[in-house]
Amino acid sequence: MDLQAPVQFVKGVGPQRAAALEKAGVRTTEDLLLRFPLRYEDRRSFARVADLQPGMRVSVSGEIVVAGLRRARRMTLYEIRLDDGSGKLKVLWFNQPYLRDVLEKGRRVALYGPVERDAPGSRLLAMRSPQYELLDAEDTPGIHTGRIVPVYEKLGPLTAKPLRRVLTGLAEKVPPDLADPLPGELRDRLRVLSRGEALRRVHLPGENEDVELLNRFRGPGHVRLVLEELFLFQLGLARRRQDLRAQRKGRAFDVTDRTREVVKRILPFPLTQAQKRVLREIADDLRSGHPMNRLVQGDVGSGKTLVALLAMVIALENGYQAAFMAPTEILAEQHFLTFRRLLARCSYETRLLTSAVKGRERKEALGQIASGEARIVVGTHALIQQRVEFSRLGLAVIDEQHRFGVLQREGLRKKGYDVDVLVMTATPIPRTLALTAYGDLDVSVVDEKPPGRSPIRTVRRAASARREVVRLVRREAEAGRQAYVVYPLVEESEKLEDVRAATEAAEEWRAALPGVSVGLLHGRMRSAEKEEVMAAFAAGTLQVLVATTVIEVGVDVPNATVMVIEHAERFGLAQLHQLRGRVGRGPGTSTCVLLAHGRLSEVALARLEVMTATEDGFLIAEKDLEIRGPGDFFGTRQWGMPSFRVAHLVRDRDLLEPARREAFRLVAEHGEALPAPLPAFLEEGGWE
């Protein structure tokens, strides 16, 4: 069997259906065989008509003793009576007049479907629109009944039943010695079937298979094919990392006593054990002589930015420049101000470069970057523009990196020669996604918050409880503390008229809190305005800050103890968690209020329940993954998540670890000389 043969040559497909299947992503025989059933139904034995009860879903077989077509209320009804020797069963199909030429009187037929009362209060039982299959001989199992039957999602022009017929016929022809990309020793170690046997059993389950396992996609065939796909993907990542290390020479930084003294001078407080561990891992990379390619994950407020700054100090002390790229202007500005404050006792020149830096100031910044006078450069996408030239860039740090595309990250790396790269995210990523999206990176986790951080009480309230929320904010303001109020939009939108706009809301909060200073912050304000508002809030002259999600990350005001999120149902879990992380940064008790409007969807309710149940960002990320699925986890295509054919990163997370372990072990042991038949399989593009 040639799995790469065009699908049109599969029996039951043909050129016309093949053209439609191609639009659904099915071009080859293999593409078709790798379309797993949605579920499996146990139709192994036929029930007796005499034993049927309402609510049962069963297979029955017998002879058609009555058949007829009639019209009723603008529809056609095709009705038969099935006799299996124990009794007769009424069966109806709606608007399928062609059945009179198929299910004729005297034919033997097998049916599968739910049993119902023919009418309320009636003792007569009936089936409505069951699946059917003509039988040639009594009790002969067929394609659609008499076995464990796979149920498929509609694929192009093929509905469930014709698709089952095509795939059953195709699976029967799969040879046991089908070419297998997994070496025999690997199959033995993973205890999986051969590829041919796996493809057969997914579509032709054995008589004694466990239907429950099949429906959890944990049948022997499923496990083998999912492991294969995950293994081949991880093998590609392992080879990519090996190639990068071979191609890029890197440099070995020294970590001297002077460097340690500078670090001590910068530190505003002792590092946590987690920060120390991650900083050691980064320092080991910088000293190794191999270019660093490391991801640092950390929950809200875990102190990742400080770790990144200390890593930049190592590069600076070795005579190199460091670049720090943030996704938004306001975040870049906040990091710039933080770095300048922390480095006040050092001689390092720090410059800001965003699209808001213009004219003479921009020309001066570009000159200092090119000459090397600017040692740390903080900016946005502006850093990767062609006119920006570094004198000696040694370390590139990319913050909230999932907001940048692959080419943008690569653009910053190429601003120097074999630059060490540190990427950071405050969006906790489930391990399954980290091992796929970042499979070629080393991963560090800052999993401990600095001392002095207080727990945050999170409550969900309906919009009708706004008075209670206003009282809470007033009480905190009178006690000398501060509050955030976050809205999803800046101004009223025609499409979302029910969503309160931050600009109008700021006026309402001023009216509701006489004597309390209320400020407004949103992304459309000029940089100078934003900086002025944030400085006033940080200094405490503003007590309540009404804002959009520009305050999602990077804002650190320990005196803020209340976070009110309007229209919380419209935010994703990661965003809600980030916003909540703006409070709880000081010793005072903090509260996050999720104000929900209207009737909530099941998904919105699930998100808010997760938020009120836990503060653990990694647990929230796992729940978010379960709710949304891997494809929508980050809400952006530039994230670069792979598109798998049979694997699913939520359902199959338990299979990812062994697949990765075996792939990286194989590359470590064999390098480019992978054992047969892998090289030939990879050359054919069989794992793309």
Side-chain angles (χ1 to χ4, degrees):
M1 176 178 282
D2 180 7
L3 292 183
Q4 301 311 312
V7 73
Q8 77 175 74
F9 299 117
V10 173
K11 185 178 179 181
V13 178
Q16 192 171 352
R17 282 178 166 175
L21 287 174
E22 187 169 350
K23 293 179 182 176
V26 176
R27 298 176 179 83
T28 66
T29 301
E30 182 180 52
D31 291 338
L32 189 57
L33 278 169
L34 290 177
R35 289 293 177 134
F36 282 0
L38 283 174
R39 66 179 188 280
Y40 295 82
E41 293 178 351
D42 190 350
R43 307 182 194 174
R44 283 176 283 196
S45 59
F46 294 111
R48 291 183 349 126
V49 170
D51 298 332
L52 298 183
Q53 297 290 332
M56 296 173 71
R57 180 178 283 271
V58 294
S59 294
V60 294
S61 69
E63 181 183 345
I64 300 173
V65 293
V66 175
L69 183 69
R70 58 189 173 89
R71 293 189 177 277
R73 295 182 182 178
R74 298 181 181 179
M75 71 171 66
T76 60
L77 293 174
Y78 188 66
E79 182 177 333
I80 69 169
R81 290 289 191 280
L82 182 81
D83 188 343
D84 73 343
S86 72
K88 294 183 177 65
L89 178 66
K90 179 180 177 179
V91 189
L92 290 168
W93 286 269
F94 302 91
N95 293 324
Q96 298 182 58
Y98 64 88
L99 290 179
R100 65 183 173 188
D101 300 321
V102 181
L103 302 177
E104 299 171 303
K105 182 180 177 180
R107 297 296 302 265
R108 293 198 59 79
V109 66
L111 306 173
Y112 176 80
V115 179
E116 306 170 3
R117 294 196 184 279
D118 185 38
S122 172
R123 296 179 63 187
L124 182 64
L125 300 179
M127 274 187 171
R128 290 178 172 81
S129 301
Q131 297 188 34
Y132 64 88
E133 181 181 1
L134 295 173
L135 298 179
D136 296 325
E138 188 174 359
D139 295 331
T140 299
I143 295 172
H144 310 295
T145 57
R147 67 180 181 116
I148 298 174
V149 175
V151 178
Y152 297 91
E153 186 177 19
K154 183 176 182 289
L155 181 60
L158 291 171
T159 54
K161 193 173 179 183
L163 183 57
R164 185 185 303 126
R165 187 179 294 113
V166 168
L167 277 166
T168 298
L170 185 59
E172 287 173 341
K173 295 177 182 176
V174 174
D177 59 348
L178 186 73
D180 196 322
L182 301 190
E185 63 175 64
L186 179 57
R187 293 200 304 271
D188 292 342
R189 195 158 49 247
L190 292 173
R191 297 179 182 177
V192 294
L193 304 174
S194 68
R195 195 175 203 227
E197 182 66 13
L199 287 169
R200 284 176 62 88
R201 286 176 64 170
V202 161
H203 302 287
L204 287 170
E207 176 68 22
N208 298 318
E209 295 232 24
D210 186 327
V211 179
E212 184 184 347
L213 277 181
L214 292 172
N215 280 321
R216 289 197 288 113
F217 293 86
R218 284 299 175 268
H222 297 99
V223 170
R224 153 61 210 241
L225 295 171
V226 168
L227 267 173
E228 173 190 307
E229 186 169 41
L230 293 174
F231 166 78
L232 292 170
F233 176 75
Q234 292 292 334
L235 185 67
L237 292 176
R239 295 180 77 185
R240 180 181 169 191
R241 181 157 76 170
Q242 184 186 58
D243 291 345
L244 282 174
R245 288 194 168 187
Q247 292 166 12
R248 294 169 58 194
K249 294 181 180 178
R251 62 184 65 77
F253 289 126
D254 289 327
V255 180
T256 63
D257 290 340
R258 173 183 158 83
T259 306
R260 295 185 182 93
E261 284 303 315
V262 172
V263 166
K264 290 177 184 176
R265 204 182 314 154
I266 291 170
L267 285 177
F269 43 74
L271 294 176
T272 64
Q273 291 303 314
Q275 286 174 312
K276 290 178 181 177
R277 183 186 70 247
V278 172
L279 188 58
R280 274 197 304 271
E281 291 167 353
I282 293 170
D284 288 344
D285 283 352
L286 295 174
R287 286 186 294 213
S288 70
H290 295 292
M292 178 170 67
N293 218 18
R294 182 170 291 276
L295 165 71
V296 174
Q297 283 196 84
D299 208 343
V300 177
S302 60
K304 299 175 305 303
T305 305
L306 182 58
V307 170
L309 178 60
L310 299 179
M312 290 192 286
V313 166
I314 295 174
L316 268 52
E317 284 296 310
N318 280 267
Y320 288 87
Q321 293 168 290
F324 188 101
M325 188 162 73
T328 65
E329 282 187 15
I330 192 166
L331 193 51
E333 290 162 4
Q334 289 162 11
H335 283 310
F336 169 69
L337 294 173
T338 299
F339 293 161
R340 200 166 61 176
R341 175 173 54 80
L342 290 172
L343 296 172
R345 298 170 61 191
C346 303
S347 58
Y348 307 131
E349 178 69 26
T350 304
R351 290 302 305 235
L352 176 68
L353 189 67
T354 68
S355 59
V357 178
K358 301 182 184 296
R360 184 193 300 177
E361 187 183 0
R362 187 177 190 84
K363 185 177 180 181
E364 182 181 316
L366 290 173
Q368 289 185 334
I369 294 168
S371 69
E373 183 182 347
R375 305 298 305 284
I376 293 179
V377 186
V378 182
T380 55
H381 304 75
L383 293 179
I384 59 175
Q385 290 177 353
Q386 197 168 1
R387 291 184 59 195
V388 180
E389 294 182 3
F390 285 81
S391 170
R392 204 178 184 212
L393 183 61
L395 174 63
V397 181
I398 299 163
D399 191 30
E400 287 303 302
Q401 82 84 41
H402 62 275
R403 300 193 188 185
F404 293 102
V406 175
L407 294 178
Q408 292 166 324
R409 297 195 295 271
E410 189 67 9
L412 183 57
R413 189 182 69 79
K414 288 184 176 178
K415 289 292 181 180
Y417 176 73
D418 284 341
V419 173
D420 288 284
V421 177
L422 183 67
V423 295
M424 303 196 304
T425 179
T427 302
I429 305 167
R431 183 165 173 78
T432 47
L433 292 191
L435 293 182
T436 48
Y438 292 122
D440 56 337
L441 274 70
D442 296 305
V443 179
S444 296
V445 180
V446 185
D447 51 6
E448 181 183 359
K449 290 187 178 182
R453 297 290 173 91
S454 60
I456 304 168
R457 185 176 71 100
T458 304
V459 295
R460 174 166 61 92
R461 295 288 183 266
S464 56
R466 182 170 281 102
R467 286 186 180 179
E468 174 192 339
V469 178
V470 170
R471 283 197 299 270
L472 169 66
V473 173
R474 183 188 295 115
R475 190 166 62 246
E476 291 296 295
E478 289 172 351
R481 290 183 282 270
Q482 294 164 276
Y484 299 96
V485 181
V486 178
Y487 288 80
L489 293 180
V490 177
E491 295 165 352
E492 285 292 357
S493 163
E494 292 180 5
K495 293 182 180 178
L496 296 172
E497 292 179 359
D498 57 326
V499 179
R500 308 275 301 251
T503 46
E504 293 189 6
E507 294 303 320
E508 293 183 14
W509 279 92
R510 288 186 182 111
L513 298 170
V516 175
S517 55
V518 178
L520 174 64
L521 182 72
H522 59 73
R524 296 183 191 175
M525 296 166 66
R526 292 194 301 273
S527 295
E529 290 178 300
K530 287 186 281 191
E531 191 170 325
E532 184 180 340
V533 171
M534 280 308 306
F537 190 66
T541 53
L542 279 179
Q543 293 169 283
V544 176
L545 183 61
V546 177
T548 58
T549 54
V550 293
I551 58 115
E552 182 182 337
V553 288
V555 180
D556 189 1
V557 180
N559 192 47
T561 55
V562 178
M563 167 63 71
V564 179
I565 305 176
E566 280 273 11
H567 285 278
E569 75 279 1
R570 296 188 182 273
F571 291 91
L573 264 175
Q575 209 170 25
L576 289 171
H577 182 58
Q578 291 287 349
L579 290 169
R580 176 170 62 183
R582 298 309 101 205
V583 296
R585 292 171 169 257
T589 302
S590 293
T591 303
C592 176
V593 182
L594 307 173
L595 268 179
H597 294 242
R599 187 169 182 174
L600 302 182
S601 67
E602 286 187 19
V603 171
L605 184 60
R607 286 199 298 260
L608 299 187
E609 286 178 348
V610 170
M611 286 295 296
T612 56
T614 182
E615 277 188 70
D616 185 330
F618 288 94
L619 178 58
I620 289 171
E622 290 287 353
K623 294 295 183 183
D624 199 9
L625 182 61
E626 291 173 12
I627 292 170
R628 287 196 285 163
D632 296 322
F633 185 79
F634 289 98
T636 172
R637 286 187 172 276
Q638 68 181 8
W639 171 249
M641 285 301 299
S643 178
F644 292 114
R645 290 194 287 182
V646 296
H648 189 282
L649 292 177
V650 177
R651 184 193 69 209
D652 301 323
R653 64 183 78 183
D654 60 317
L655 300 179
L656 182 60
E657 293 275 4
R660 180 178 173 82
R661 183 177 63 249
E662 292 296 340
F664 277 72
R665 183 193 63 79
L666 207 64
V667 169
E669 289 180 3
H670 298 274
E672 289 295 313
L674 295 174
L678 270 168
F681 187 82
L682 296 175
E683 283 175 17
E684 293 170 3
W687 69 287
E688 290 178 359

